[in-house]
Amino acid sequence: HYDDASFSKDDIKNLSDLIEYCGFGFVRSPIRWNVVETSKGNYQIPDNIKYANEYVDKIGLEMLAIVYNQNNLYDIPPYYLESSQQKEAFSNYCKYVATELKDYTDYYCMLNEFNHDSTGYYQNQQEYVDIAKAGYEGIMTGNANAFINGGSLAGSLPAWANVAIQKGLFNYCDSF
């Protein structure tokens, strides 16, 4: 994960070169909402994240950018967006990230490992689909060529996922 500010440009270059040397085609790295939007409505992608996306693209790899739906500016418990204002704020962040990075990546993952949290968020699949819709709309507005993974699970929840799919999740992502 290149979102850790402890990685220098040399670290990012060396790790990316190693990934490419080993024959991998993708690097998966978060672009956390709370790091991009530190005050309401003001966005900035940190230098190390921008450099990582630029360098990975330069050497022919693809970045899978993970957008997270957590930002304490909007009083959001981890992995949960209730109000339309919170969903709109999430969509705006996704749009900003996709716009800023469209020259470097078309690949996104949203709602990453939401079930990895012991608090049990997203028991309601419709809430998950509604949040996925907000993220999808933001990403696609910022980059019409985006390929969106609608979420990654920690472990396996096929019954849960099937209900989310029946409720329309695939209208808002290209894979899950």
Side-chain angles (χ1 to χ4, degrees):
H1 289 188
Y2 291 141
D3 67 321
D4 187 335
S6 67
F7 286 115
S8 69
K9 287 184 177 182
D10 285 339
D11 293 334
I12 291 168
K13 180 187 179 309
N14 292 335
L15 288 167
S16 299
D17 289 345
L18 180 62
I19 291 166
E20 191 268 338
Y21 176 79
C22 290
F24 294 102
F26 275 85
V27 175
R28 180 178 177 269
S29 188
I31 303 175
R32 298 178 196 277
W33 185 8
N34 63 313
V35 172
V36 171
E37 185 181 7
T38 57
S39 65
K40 284 189 176 186
N42 295 306
Y43 307 95
Q44 182 174 0
I45 294 179
D47 290 341
N48 65 317
I49 294 173
K50 184 91 170 201
Y51 175 77
N53 278 270
E54 292 170 353
Y55 189 75
V56 163
D57 181 65
K58 178 181 173 184
I59 64 172
L61 299 175
E62 297 291 346
M63 180 68 79
L64 176 62
I66 305 168
V67 291
Y68 280 86
N69 52 312
Q70 294 172 284
N71 191 321
N72 290 334
L73 294 174
Y74 298 94
D75 298 319
I76 299 167
Y79 301 101
Y80 196 70
L81 297 158
E82 288 183 297
S83 73
S84 59
Q85 293 85 4
Q86 290 168 321
K87 291 173 191 157
E88 180 181 359
F90 177 62
S91 183
N92 290 339
Y93 144 75
C94 289
K95 175 184 173 184
Y96 173 81
V97 169
T99 300
E100 289 297 304
L101 298 181
K102 69 181 171 185
D103 290 338
Y104 311 111
T105 189
D106 293 329
Y107 298 95
Y108 292 87
C109 177
M110 59 183 170
L111 311 180
N112 184 58
E113 295 179 353
F114 68 90
N115 64 318
H116 196 24
D117 186 330
S118 63
T119 58
Y121 294 113
Y122 293 133
Q123 297 304 310
N124 180 331
Q125 290 90 338
Q126 188 61 55
E127 291 171 353
Y128 186 88
V129 171
D130 292 345
I131 295 165
K133 178 182 179 188
Y136 174 86
E137 289 173 350
I139 292 168
M140 294 307 290
T141 300
N143 181 347
N145 295 316
F147 180 94
I148 301 170
N149 178 286
S152 299
L153 297 174
S156 177
L157 295 172
W160 188 97
N162 286 335
V163 172
I165 291 165
Q166 290 169 0
K167 292 189 176 288
L169 178 62
F170 282 167
N171 293 321
Y172 310 111
C173 62
D174 300 298
S175 68
F176 181 76

